[in-house]
Structures are given as structure tokens and as C-alpha cells.
Amino acid sequence: MYLPNLTWPDLREYVENGSLAVVPLGSTEQHGPHLPEGTDHLIADALARAATDRTDHICTPVIPIGVSPHHRQFHGTMWVDAPVFRDYVESLSRNLTYHGIDRIVFVNAHGGNVAHLREVGRRLRDDGTAYAVEWMWDESIPDLIEEAFETPGPHGGPKETAMIMHIAEELVRDDRLEDARDGGMTAFDPATMAVNGARVTYDSKEITENGVFGDQTDATPAVGAELFEAATDQLCALLEWLDDQPFADLLPQEHVAPRPARTGN
């Protein structure tokens, strides 16, 4: 159920029986020479729409720009500062709660958003307004991804390439797949970002010349369809689980007893 396509009486009917909303989020940033800059938000939006169509939950419009300054050296990358992003997502979420929503799933497809969405979720939960949880598609199907690709790569690799081949194949530059592989870091090694236990890199340009990781030539539309269906199944299961939980059980637990009494004026 896509919120912009509904009328307000439709939404009134929805909140009479349901209180869950899905908010897709991603980024608009470089994904190498072969993928569109909208890769992340295209994936998030497609998964959120597919899952809510199946479960009859509400899906909001996608938030297409996230926290992406680590890709800023590449043309076209857009980002907002982290505090701005957090405040925007929290404000939007509180807007939903005003209309009767008390649980939210952030369908996220950009790693740079994760920590900030978790913080927004804690703010909403701590004051008892709503329970909001962040969900990443690739983290829901890690075994399938490992089986499908020898070198999946965390950014712009074959898993994202296959997903876009399935969602919007016309946006993939097939003639650049080998260039993407050969000009990037095929086998991602986190150790390249650290010195003596300290992470010393801040931007993707410092470790990959063309901004991507993995072997993009392993991607196919068929594998993308398999990944998409498996991730959608996982998201649907999450939505149904969350919808079944008593709201009180989702709120923070009480302080352990005994709790010291406050004294003084």
C-alpha cells in the first residue's frame, strides 16, 4: 500500500486496524562506472514496495539522499550532514506517529545510514513514541550472497549490480562491467583501511580508484531476481513479526531494582 496513492479516508481505515509503516531509505552516490547513482534508493524502494504490496502495510515515499560524504570525490554524489539526516528522519517518523503509527521499519540500502537510523530508533523508543528498526537487505540473506558470488564486495559489487539488473536493467552499463572490476578493488580486505588497530581511511577514494569493490562480471538478472525474492521474503517475515508484537513489549524495560531514591532539594 503506497501512501501517496491513497486518500485520507483510506489511511483512516488503515490505522483503525494497523499501526505499522515502512520507510525506504538509500542514497544518491557513486556506484562505479557501471551503476546509476540512485542504486541504493532504487533497491530500497523496490523492496519496500514489493513487501508492503504483499503484506498490505503502508509504504512511504523513499528518502533518496543519505549520509554519503565518504564518496564525495566522485562526480554527482549527494549527501546531507549526519545530524541533519537524523533530525529529518526522526521528524518524518514522528509525523507518522501523529497519524496513529507506532512501529516503523526503515528499509535501508546504504551502509552510511545504519548508525544514524539506529540512533533515531533509540530516540523514538526511549520516549515511548514508537518502535523503529533498521533493516538492510543484504544482511538478511548473507548465505545466499556468499553462494552466488566469489567476491561480493561491499559497494558497487555484483550483489548490487545483480539487483539493479533485476529492478532496472536499462540503467546498468553492461559494457563497463570489466572496467568496474579491473579499476576497483576486486577482493575487499578491511585490513587495508587500518594501521595498528586504528581505521585510518575516511573516503572510498583512498582504497579504490573507481569507487567499487568485487567482481561485477559475476552479476546476472537471474541472480538479481533470486536475491530480490529472498530479501523480500525476509522483509515480509519481519513486518509480520513486528505487527504481531504487543507494543508494550517493544518498549524499554524497567530499571533493575532496587533503584536508588533521589535526595536533595
Side-chain angles (χ1 to χ4, degrees):
M1 299 175 63
Y2 189 49
L3 191 152
N5 292 346
L6 302 174
T7 67
W8 72 259
D10 296 332
L11 293 162
R12 178 177 61 187
E13 182 177 348
Y14 176 78
V15 296
E16 286 177 354
N17 301 300
S19 60
L20 188 152
V22 172
V23 180
L25 308 95
S27 66
T28 298
E29 62 183 26
Q30 71 85 16
H31 274 78
H34 63 302
L35 289 180
E37 304 234 345
T39 289
D40 287 344
H41 77 252
L42 289 169
I43 293 173
D45 189 48
L47 287 168
R49 298 282 293 272
T52 52
D53 283 348
R54 281 170 49 179
T55 61
D56 287 331
H57 290 110
I58 291 293
C59 180
T60 73
V62 68
I63 297 175
I65 297 173
V67 183
S68 303
H70 48 293
H71 294 297
R72 68 187 186 276
Q73 286 91 349
F74 296 92
H75 296 297
T77 293
M78 304 183 73
W79 70 92
V80 294
D81 291 337
V84 175
F85 176 78
R86 291 193 297 268
D87 287 348
Y88 180 86
V89 175
E90 181 178 351
S91 180
L92 182 148
S93 299
R94 291 186 184 278
N95 158 232
L96 291 172
T97 69
Y98 176 79
H99 295 297
I101 299 299
D102 64 16
R103 56 205 77 191
I104 299 167
V105 174
F106 297 127
V107 172
N108 176 41
H110 173 53
N113 294 341
V114 173
H116 310 293
L117 294 172
R118 289 284 297 173
E119 181 175 336
V120 170
R122 176 172 287 280
R123 290 181 189 176
L124 296 167
R125 181 173 180 257
D126 282 353
D127 64 17
T129 300
Y131 180 85
V133 63
E134 182 266 348
W135 178 84
M136 281 276 286
W137 73 270
D138 54 339
E139 293 181 3
S140 75
I141 51 171
D143 293 341
L144 183 57
I145 290 172
E146 289 298 324
E147 292 172 8
F149 309 114
E150 185 176 345
T151 54
H155 181 76
K159 62 184 179 183
E160 289 184 323
T161 303
M163 285 286 271
I164 295 299
M165 284 177 168
H166 171 62
I167 295 166
E169 187 173 11
E170 71 280 4
L171 298 181
V172 180
R173 278 60 168 183
D174 292 322
D175 59 332
R176 300 177 185 173
L177 294 179
E178 291 185 3
D179 290 341
R181 177 197 62 197
D182 298 340
M185 179 182 283
T186 304
F188 176 68
D189 182 3
T192 61
M193 301 187 295
V195 174
N196 291 15
R199 182 164 176 171
V200 295
T201 61
Y202 282 91
D203 300 328
S204 62
K205 187 68 169 61
E206 297 170 51
I207 49 178
T208 169
E209 278 300 311
N210 67 4
V212 297
F213 306 87
D215 185 353
Q216 294 76 12
T217 63
D218 285 345
T220 67
V223 173
E226 185 180 5
L227 298 180
F228 187 87
E229 290 306 314
T232 302
D233 288 344
Q234 292 293 315
L235 179 54
C236 288
L238 172 62
L239 298 181
E240 298 292 11
W241 172 84
L242 185 55
D243 195 37
D244 287 342
Q245 304 309 302
F247 184 64
D249 292 351
L250 298 171
L251 296 177
Q253 297 184 14
E254 295 293 330
H255 190 286
V256 296
R259 187 175 183 178
R262 291 187 175 89
T263 60
N265 297 329

